[in-house]
Amino acid sequence: MATPAEGITISAGGSTTLKAKQTVQLSATVTPDDATDKSVTWKSENEDVAIVSETGLVTAVSVGTAVITATNSTGQSASVTIIVEKTLVESISLNNESLTMKIGETKVLSATVLPVTATDKNIKWMSDNEKIVKVSSIGEVTAVSVGVAKITAMATDGSKVSASCTVTVLPPENGEIIIKGVYYRVNTPTGTATVIKGDYTGLETAEIVDGFSFYGIDCRVTSIEERTFYDCTALKEVVIPASIVTVCDEAFYGCRNLSHVEISDGEIPLNFGRYPFSTSYTIGSLYLGRQYTFDKDYNPFYRQPIREIVISDNVRTIPEYMSYGNNELSKLTIGKGVELIPYRAFMDCPSLKEVVIPSSVKEIQSEAFANCILKSVVSENPIPPVLNSSAFSSVTYSNAELRVPAYTREKYISAPSWKNFSHISEEGGSGLTDLPQDDESEVIIYSINGVSVYTGKYKEMPKLQNGIYIITVDGKTRKLIIK
């Protein structure tokens, strides 16, 4: 006679708390012992978490819980709960521990995550300095600028496991860049740059910069290559910064519409190559901010038509023949640092009618202003500079008015060559040329109201404001009118 199954129990051959891909053997006991049919059917209520075989072998699939049920032949059942825990990352290794790259280059890092059964193998890529190296979410590394940065791959499962790669970025050996429409070639080993030929169609202002950063490298602009702006007819204004030390042959040749050229103030002399400008075309104005040199017989402004020249206070010496034969020069400003006006510096400039010689000038050499038909010459130096007799033309000596500082007319009248001027007047207009004017003369000055203004040596006498004064010099007294 058959004995039916009356009950069932489950026992586990190990822990019921597993990690992915781990297993545990479950066993089912059917009662009574003499039951005719002891067959058992196994089932998992959540096969996404754990599966069970026909023999009760449970295999963990993913994190979670699953109820495993064993049912006997009469429908009775027993169950056990399987818990599947997260498997954390234990190690990460990269295909490269260090990389050397050039700016703009890209490379890919790959990561190996262990164990292979780790629940979450995702990693996060990070750069400790994105100004030097950037990294994408898939490990693509891009070199941005010169330097060293560290790329880190970190597990996202909370294990805090990571691996890193040190990236060294080197500069390219050279390159080109455009700034405000001007083209530059960079030499990274020397940290210098040159202004080069480019598409300058329509460029009206060539505002050359003195330096810039090229992929993290500080570059100083030091030269303009030959024929850089050759025949750039749209070009109207040029600014040459103090960093430029060389302007090569014909750099601006054929630029027929230049209205202004500025050579910025600086201490290092600027060297010009041959024919940097076109003598066939007039330059509106030139600002000269520093000394310049040139190849022998190739003065850059010789016979160059320029309507106005401003020489900075930074300039000490003007080159010989600086603006020789400049038919267009009508306005000249000589800086207060110039000490020497040399041979033929402004000879044959017929449009120039007035010149102011600053107090810094100590000497004016022969033919400096020869053939210039000047109407006015102003010398601001209270001590007459050394003047070569041929510095000015005979027409200038005869017709121009020489204006000198107050109380110095007698000095100029008696100074060599200066006395050749037929018309000499004092700035301030005292008109008291009969008074003694020795530096050691004793001077007493009162205002017209009787207020004491100055008592002391003639050489230390201050410049007087406009007004009426009573002045006594070495016992001689006169009324002095300053207008």
Side-chain angles (χ1 to χ4, degrees):
M1 182 177 180
T3 302
E6 296 177 358
I8 187 171
T9 59
I10 297 176
S11 61
S15 175
T16 55
T17 299
L18 306 174
K19 292 183 178 180
K21 297 191 177 180
Q22 288 184 336
T23 61
V24 62
Q25 182 65 57
L26 300 181
S27 300
T29 301
V30 178
T31 59
D33 291 340
D34 58 351
T36 304
D37 186 356
K38 290 188 176 184
S39 62
V40 175
T41 302
W42 294 94
K43 182 180 180 182
S44 171
E45 295 182 359
N46 190 346
E47 292 190 341
D48 290 335
V49 174
I51 58 175
V52 62
S53 70
E54 294 179 353
T55 61
L57 181 65
V58 177
T59 302
V61 176
S62 63
V63 176
T65 59
V67 176
I68 305 299
T69 301
T71 304
N72 62 20
S73 59
T74 59
Q76 295 167 320
S77 64
S79 61
V80 64
T81 299
I82 300 296
I83 300 172
V84 180
E85 295 181 330
K86 179 188 294 185
T87 302
L88 295 177
V89 172
E90 296 176 3
S91 69
I92 298 174
S93 60
L94 301 180
N95 59 329
N96 288 287
E97 294 183 354
S98 64
L99 288 173
T100 299
M101 304 174 66
K102 290 184 178 180
I103 293 172
E105 188 178 3
T106 61
K107 291 186 178 181
V108 177
L109 290 175
S110 59
T112 300
V113 180
L114 295 175
V116 294
T117 58
T119 304
D120 181 2
K121 291 184 179 180
N122 291 320
I123 57 175
K124 181 180 180 180
W125 295 94
M126 298 172 289
S127 170
D128 68 349
N129 192 335
E130 292 194 342
K131 292 182 179 180
I132 296 175
V133 176
K134 291 184 177 181
V135 62
S136 72
S137 60
I138 59 172
E140 184 178 75
V141 178
T142 302
V144 178
S145 63
V146 175
V148 178
K150 183 169 70 174
I151 301 299
T152 299
M154 178 172 285
T156 61
D157 64 354
S159 65
K160 298 183 179 180
V161 174
S162 66
S164 62
C165 173
T166 300
V167 181
T168 301
V169 181
L170 303 176
E173 292 186 0
N174 51 54
E176 294 184 4
I177 188 172
I178 305 172
I179 302 174
K180 295 181 179 180
V182 178
Y183 292 72
Y184 302 85
R185 181 186 300 113
V186 179
N187 185 324
T188 54
T190 61
T192 59
T194 299
V195 183
I196 61 173
K197 303 177 186 70
D199 182 5
Y200 293 116
T201 304
L203 182 69
E204 295 187 357
T205 300
E207 187 176 348
I208 300 167
V209 298
D210 58 2
F212 51 83
S213 179
F214 183 74
Y215 292 109
I217 303 169
D218 290 333
C219 295
R220 191 166 179 81
V221 182
T222 58
S223 61
I224 303 173
E225 74 174 6
E226 64 181 26
R227 292 195 164 198
T228 293
F229 297 96
Y230 190 90
D231 272 348
C232 292
T233 56
L235 194 60
K236 296 180 179 179
E237 184 174 354
V238 175
V239 178
I240 301 175
S243 63
I244 297 287
V245 295
T246 303
V247 176
C248 295
D249 297 354
E250 300 183 342
F252 299 95
Y253 197 88
C255 297
R256 65 190 66 184
N257 293 310
L258 279 176
S259 60
H260 181 64
V261 174
E262 176 180 325
I263 300 172
S264 300
D265 288 5
E267 298 302 322
I268 302 175
L270 174 62
N271 180 259
F272 281 103
R274 299 180 178 187
Y275 309 114
F277 303 97
S278 296
T279 57
S280 302
Y281 307 114
T282 298
I283 297 174
S285 62
L286 166 68
Y287 177 85
L288 180 63
R290 55 180 162 140
Q291 309 289 139
Y292 67 88
T293 60
F294 49 88
D295 291 345
K296 185 179 180 181
D297 299 328
Y298 289 96
N299 189 325
F301 304 113
Y302 180 84
R303 294 193 180 279
Q304 174 66 54
I306 306 173
R307 293 192 181 96
E308 178 181 1
I309 296 176
V310 176
I311 301 172
S312 164
D313 295 349
N314 190 53
V315 175
R316 295 291 176 266
T317 304
I318 300 171
E320 293 183 355
Y321 292 92
M322 177 190 167
S323 194
Y324 178 98
N326 182 355
N327 292 327
E328 297 287 339
L329 183 62
S330 60
K331 187 173 182 181
L332 172 64
T333 302
I334 301 174
K336 298 184 184 301
V338 173
E339 297 177 352
L340 173 68
I341 301 177
Y343 176 67
R344 294 189 172 183
F346 301 100
M347 182 176 176
D348 285 344
C349 296
S351 298
L352 188 63
K353 303 303 180 185
E354 179 179 0
V355 63
V356 177
I357 311 298
S359 59
S360 58
V361 172
K362 298 177 181 178
E363 181 181 0
I364 304 174
Q365 294 183 344
S366 63
E367 301 184 353
F369 295 96
N371 299 333
C372 297
I373 307 173
L374 297 170
K375 294 182 178 180
S376 172
V377 177
V378 177
S379 177
E380 296 180 338
N381 197 333
I383 301 174
V386 175
L387 178 66
N388 186 281
S389 61
S390 66
F392 296 97
S393 66
S394 59
V395 174
T396 296
Y397 282 127
S398 299
N399 299 329
E401 179 185 9
L402 171 62
R403 289 179 288 164
V404 298
Y407 321 118
T408 65
R409 182 173 181 272
E410 288 300 317
K411 292 182 181 181
Y412 276 85
I413 287 176
S414 59
S417 300
W418 290 104
K419 61 185 179 182
N420 294 338
F421 280 90
S422 300
H423 308 281
I424 304 178
S425 63
E426 293 181 350
E427 293 282 274
S430 70
L432 300 180
T433 59
D434 60 329
L435 287 176
Q437 294 186 7
D438 185 85
D439 285 345
E440 299 300 321
S441 295
E442 294 293 333
V443 178
I444 301 172
I445 303 176
Y446 286 89
S447 72
I448 194 64
N449 297 322
V451 178
S452 177
V453 175
Y454 173 74
T455 300
K457 299 291 185 182
Y458 181 87
K459 65 182 180 180
E460 298 174 352
M461 189 172 68
K463 183 176 181 179
L464 299 176
Q465 302 294 322
N466 293 347
I468 303 175
Y469 302 88
I470 304 300
I471 180 169
T472 299
V473 181
D474 288 345
K476 291 186 177 182
T477 302
R478 295 286 188 274
K479 181 187 288 185
L480 175 66
I481 302 174
I482 305 286
K483 296 182 180 180

